[in-house]
Amino acid sequence: MPRPRADPISRRDFVRSAVAIGGAAAFSACLGRESPDLPTGPDDLASLPERQHAWNAALATDDHGNDVAARHQAVLLFDYAGDGTPTDADREQVERALRSLERAYPRDHEGLLFTVGYSPAYFDRYDEPLPDSVDLPAPEALAPFEDPEPDTADVVVHLASDYGSVVLGAEEALRGEVETLNGVDVAASVAGVLARVDRRTGFVGDGLPADHQDVQGVPDSEPVDEDAPLYMGFKSGFSKNQAPEDSVTIEDGPFAGGTTQHVSQLHLNLDQWYEQDDRYHRVATMFCPAHAEEGLVEGAGDNLGNTAQMEERGCPAHTERDARESGVVGHSQKSARARAADGNPLILRRDFDSADDDRAQLHFVALQESIADFVETREAMNGTDLGGAVGQRQNNGILQYMQVVRRGNYLVPPRSLRALPTPQPA
């Protein structure tokens, strides 16, 4: 399916701003600007994948076969509004609300992709524990230099679409603010069952960061290139540097077919990145010193194809040597040291940038079979094992350019258990 036509800057700016503001008025205005001519969802909802997180087949791909993230995204956090544990009536209402979204939009990047996850705090209301096949600890700091606020909301909903009006429409339908969506009657909302705690919006894709760089954390010189899909100027999500969906899926137990999700909110501080560091240093710290020395990265890095070329250049094996001899190590270089037994990465990234609150931010969304897989990847990225050859944060990948302000862990059940599950479903 083709991606939407490239918009004029004013239109892109309007749509991003509408998604960030939210509400029925923003939805109506955004819908009028985009006017997407979309089919409705399938007549038979049983045809949809049981894995909520099975998005890859529904995404567009670039010329190298990389999955291309949907351009507009939102993370919505809710608490259960009732007392005690959810009732069967609550579950039925939530399920009807989610099915309304599925009937309204096709399940693809131009339509709507979404997941629903549940935090440790949600499951704490039950007497019985989660099964041993689910690793879902409470969120905590994952580096000695961070002090994030833990997200303890019960429910997280991740929405994604190439059309901002679709993301807004889905949110308004969940809240009970619209009666129809894409010409389809909305059968139910989550109002009265779930109470919204927070909303985080954002974007990813060529031109969007450049259009929204007049924010705190980005220099006034407007350094973000028009071809950059993210604020730091480089692309991510190379297919060979992403975990396959199969490998992040829980294999056993009642939640088989589900996954775990980590969602963190990071503030970006890019003044030094763009005003003091030269491109050589940016490439070395984002990728690997070898990439800078050999001039491997052109522009945002599209020329690299479907891999960041970590293994091809021996970057993971040379991390300690580069720290000693070059005094710098790369972010991708360090992260590539965390691998499964089959050689694949441990996590599947679905993160996006944000200009919420007029601040450059990154919402890091990662899927993995076990939260322990995310922790292992983060520990590799921290580089605390490099013996002081680089700083705790300085010249140690991109750590010095970001601050983790919130962390949350969630279980994303299979679709059949997505509506207020118990920890031990039959």
Side-chain angles (χ1 to χ4, degrees):
M1 184 177 293
R3 297 179 65 80
R5 178 178 57 84
D7 297 331
I9 290 178
S10 60
R11 181 175 164 187
R12 291 192 308 215
D13 185 68
F14 179 90
V15 172
R16 199 285 305 172
S17 298
V19 174
I21 294 169
F27 169 50
S28 178
C30 188
L31 190 64
R33 286 294 187 100
E34 291 185 321
S35 301
D37 183 16
L38 298 174
T40 58
D43 294 331
D44 180 13
L45 296 185
S47 65
L48 298 177
E50 175 69 349
R51 298 177 182 179
Q52 289 194 73
H53 61 286
W55 289 13
N56 287 0
L59 294 172
T61 55
D62 64 17
D63 293 341
H64 303 290
N66 299 306
D67 294 319
V68 179
R71 291 173 66 82
H72 299 282
Q73 309 209 20
V75 168
L76 311 178
L77 300 176
F78 298 89
D79 274 339
Y80 176 59
D83 296 324
T85 57
T87 65
D88 288 341
D90 293 334
R91 293 188 182 90
E92 181 180 354
Q93 180 178 333
V94 170
E95 181 61 23
R96 290 175 64 212
L98 299 176
R99 286 175 175 259
S100 291
L101 302 185
E102 293 171 332
R103 290 191 173 95
Y105 294 120
R107 191 181 185 278
D108 59 38
H109 61 93
E110 288 191 319
L112 178 67
L113 297 168
F114 70 92
T115 61
V116 184
Y118 296 86
S119 70
Y122 167 81
F123 289 108
D124 283 346
R125 61 179 27 87
Y126 292 92
D127 292 332
E128 62 269 29
L130 283 164
D132 291 340
S133 55
V134 175
D135 172 41
L136 190 69
E140 60 182 2
L142 297 178
F145 47 80
E146 66 176 44
D147 185 24
E149 186 76 18
D151 276 326
T152 58
D154 291 325
V155 185
V156 62
V157 179
H158 183 194
L159 305 168
S161 175
D162 278 339
Y163 288 106
S165 56
V166 170
V167 172
L168 281 173
E171 180 183 0
E172 291 305 291
L174 288 175
R175 296 177 59 209
E177 298 296 326
V178 294
E179 296 181 355
T180 62
L181 203 58
N182 197 26
V184 176
D185 290 339
V186 177
S189 74
V190 300
V193 177
L194 300 180
R196 194 178 74 183
V197 174
D198 196 10
R199 70 188 299 270
R200 302 165 191 170
T201 69
F203 46 84
V204 57
D206 296 359
L208 287 170
D211 288 349
H212 305 103
Q213 59 183 305
D214 185 17
V215 291
Q216 183 179 349
V218 178
D220 294 337
S221 57
E222 298 187 353
V224 183
D225 289 336
E226 181 68 21
D227 65 348
L230 294 165
Y231 273 131
M232 296 194 76
F234 298 108
K235 71 172 295 176
S236 64
F238 298 97
S239 63
K240 289 190 176 181
N241 298 98
Q242 290 270 57
E245 285 177 338
D246 283 348
S247 68
V248 302
T249 301
I250 296 170
E251 295 183 354
D252 303 312
F255 291 104
T259 188
T260 69
Q261 182 183 66
H262 179 85
V263 180
S264 50
Q265 180 181 10
L266 299 91
H267 289 171
L268 301 178
N269 304 293
L270 304 180
D271 290 287
Q272 178 178 325
W273 179 253
Y274 282 115
E275 297 290 283
Q276 298 181 38
D277 300 339
D278 58 18
R279 179 169 174 88
Y280 183 100
H281 186 79
R282 292 198 294 272
V283 171
T285 51
M286 179 62 75
F287 293 94
C288 173
H291 289 56
E293 292 165 5
E294 299 177 33
L296 294 178
V297 183
E298 300 173 6
D302 291 308
N303 67 296
L304 296 176
N306 64 356
T307 173
Q309 300 200 19
M310 290 296 112
E311 298 293 344
E312 293 84 344
R313 301 295 170 178
C315 293
H318 297 157
T319 304
E320 292 186 14
R321 185 196 70 185
D322 287 342
R324 292 192 312 270
E325 298 181 2
S326 301
V328 62
V329 292
H331 164 73
S332 297
Q333 175 182 25
K334 293 182 298 173
S335 300
R337 297 180 298 167
R339 287 289 188 267
D342 60 5
N344 282 316
L346 296 173
I347 68 172
L348 172 57
R349 294 179 51 175
R350 288 185 173 150
D351 47 289
F352 55 95
D353 276 351
S354 174
D356 287 350
D357 303 320
D358 292 324
R359 175 186 286 273
Q361 302 185 54
L362 172 68
H363 296 299
F364 194 96
V365 180
L367 302 176
Q368 52 282 313
E369 182 178 6
S370 163
I371 293 297
D373 293 333
F374 179 83
V375 173
E376 181 178 343
T377 302
R378 174 66 203 208
E379 288 176 347
M381 193 183 82
N382 287 341
T384 53
D385 60 324
L386 298 178
V390 294
Q392 186 178 62
R393 299 180 67 191
Q394 191 172 12
N395 296 326
N396 193 341
I398 57 175
L399 294 174
Q400 72 183 92
Y401 308 101
M402 54 185 60
Q403 176 189 6
V404 182
V405 294
R406 304 194 73 91
R407 288 196 182 279
N409 294 331
Y410 306 92
L411 167 66
V412 179
R415 183 171 170 271
S416 57
L417 296 172
R418 66 185 174 180
L420 301 173
T422 66
Q424 297 283 345

